[in-house]
Amino acid sequence: MSRIDYSVWDHIEVSDDEDDTHPNIDTPSLFRWRHQARVDRMEEYKKKEQDLDKSLAECRRKLTEAQKKVQELNISSTDDAKADMAKAHAEEKKLKKEERDWERKLEDHRREEKKMPWNVDTLSKEGFSKSIVNVKPEQTEETEEEKEKKHKTFVEKYEKQIKHFGMLHRWDDSQKYLSDNPHLVCEETANYLVIMCIDLEVEEKHALMEQVAHQTIVMQFILELAKSLKVDPRGCFRQFFAKIKTSDQQYMDAFNDELESFKQRVRGRAKIRIEKAMKEYEEEERQKRLGPGGLDPVDVYETLPPEMQKCFDEKDIGMLQDVISKMDPTEAKAHMKACIDSGLWVPNSKTDDGDEKEDDGTYEEVKQEPEEAEKKQ
């Protein structure tokens, strides 16, 4: 028959109200003092454990940074990287030892805490003291206005450096320049380079456009690599250059395909911009041509009969009077009104000598001639 093991109760401090005290001792005060002493002792153990946890977490953070630095130096092939390798390894080894020491101290502390006797404050704890509703936190994204302001501020500060990077040719030069200027490894640089490519294509500087396009794809590949690794782009651009310089053919093919596709998009965007600019220019010129009645003389000229067009081509008023006299009066009036509203025909125009020409009466005279001819008949 199995027996119940009561040894677990050996490490329980008896309740204060079970203690036998001398009649001359203030029992309630004694109970309060004992309880306060236990609470202070428990708080001290708790604080010490929190300090140990904090120190261990800080040590692990430094170790992670040291290991990341070692990985970056392993990828890099520069002389400076090789010189820093031994120092980085020593730092990593030192931090690993510190991590083990902090883990041992924390384990010892917890072991000591478990040896403490149970009491009325540790035997039981409340299960629920409050209700918590799981609410999804709101994700705040930058507005378009904030993005535009951020981009403008960045470009104003680093435009010269971005342009310099856009003109680099060699992989090593690009890597060194980004190492010296890591703040350039960001979305703002990539966006500025895209705009720069379109501007160069519009200006018909095709060779320069292709050079800057190459650097644009370099920056975009670095940003995509950072997203896939879930790290800061400034911490992984060396991995991109290491991969591209080791002649990874599949990676290089993907890079070249994206580059050619990007250049095609730039040419298409530049073409659209040029067409838009031409339309705006043509509209401005048309607005300048509009006559007093708001009509375009070019459009009005195209609607005139060939005989009237010939009159305006040769600037022959007599020929124009003759052509109008032979036309239907209503049609002639409509054509002449359109000519006046478009400025193609200017009544009361002056000669070089300053004398007014009798042009304003031309249409009226021409109009009266057919009417008089009808009366005579």
Side-chain angles (χ1 to χ4, degrees), residues 40-55:
D40 292 343
R41 188 166 62 250
M42 290 165 57
E43 288 294 329
E44 183 181 351
Y45 265 88
K46 184 177 180 181
K47 184 177 184 304
K48 185 176 180 180
E49 182 176 4
Q50 290 175 347
D51 292 341
L52 290 171
D53 276 329
K54 186 177 180 180
S55 299

Side-chain angles (χ1 to χ4, degrees), residues 154 161-162 165-166 168 171 174-175 177-179 181-194 212-227 233-234 236-237 240-241 251 255 258-259:
F154 183 85
Q161 295 179 359
I162 298 173
F165 173 76
L168 296 176
W171 298 115
S174 296
Q175 181 177 352
Y177 194 73
L178 292 181
S179 298
N181 303 277
H183 53 272
L184 295 181
V185 187
C186 61
E187 290 283 352
E188 286 73 26
T189 297
N191 294 338
Y192 182 86
L193 291 174
V194 171
V212 178
H214 179 275
Q215 295 300 90
T216 306
I217 300 304
V218 168
M219 186 59 62
Q220 289 182 349
F221 261 61
I222 292 172
L223 296 175
E224 287 300 321
L225 180 61
K227 288 180 182 178
R234 293 170 293 182
C236 72
F237 67 88
F240 164 77
F241 287 108
Y251 197 66
F255 180 90
E258 183 59 30
L259 176 58

Side-chain angles (χ1 to χ4, degrees), residues 4 121 173 176 178 180 247 255 299 308:
I4 299 175
D121 296 310
D173 293 340
K176 185 178 185 308
L178 292 181
D180 296 337
S247 299
F255 180 90
D299 294 339
M308 288 188 70

Side-chain angles (χ1 to χ4, degrees), residues 134 196 222 284 324:
N134 187 16
M196 188 176 173
I222 292 172
E284 288 177 3
I324 292 177

